[in-house]
Amino acid sequence: MKKVLFLALAAASFTFASCDSKTENAQEANAEQVEDAGEAKADALENAGNEAAADSVEDATEAQADKMENAADSTDAK
């Protein structure tokens, strides 16, 4: 379910990509890579049977990616 939601959010974000600067798009792409890497690590932990660690990793990387995206959004406000 999380993957479906993530993919839907990613698809929605691409619809607005044309309104952003190249710098902002690059920063958002980096944030997405961070989130993808964190999700892959969380999936590996979950497959190993460590659900609590998987949730922790996923929450931490989502927070980091959100912070990166917010910083990217502020580049256009300048």
Side-chain angles (χ1 to χ4, degrees):
M1 181 67 182
K2 291 179 186 179
K3 290 181 183 179
V4 173
L5 178 60
F6 176 73
L7 290 175
L9 290 172
S13 68
F14 287 127
T15 62
F16 298 108
S18 63
C19 301
D20 299 334
S21 68
K22 290 181 181 181
T23 302
E24 182 178 359
N25 288 339
Q27 290 173 339
E28 288 177 348
N30 288 340
E32 197 165 319
Q33 288 176 347
V34 166
E35 193 166 3
D36 289 346
E39 188 169 327
K41 184 175 181 179
D43 287 346
L45 287 167
E46 189 174 332
N47 290 337
N50 196 344
E51 185 79 29
D55 289 342
S56 178
V57 166
E58 192 166 7
D59 290 344
T61 54
E62 282 181 24
Q64 183 181 5
D66 288 344
K67 185 176 179 180
M68 292 170 72
E69 288 174 358
N70 290 338
D73 290 341
S74 70
T75 61
D76 275 350
K78 293 179 181 177

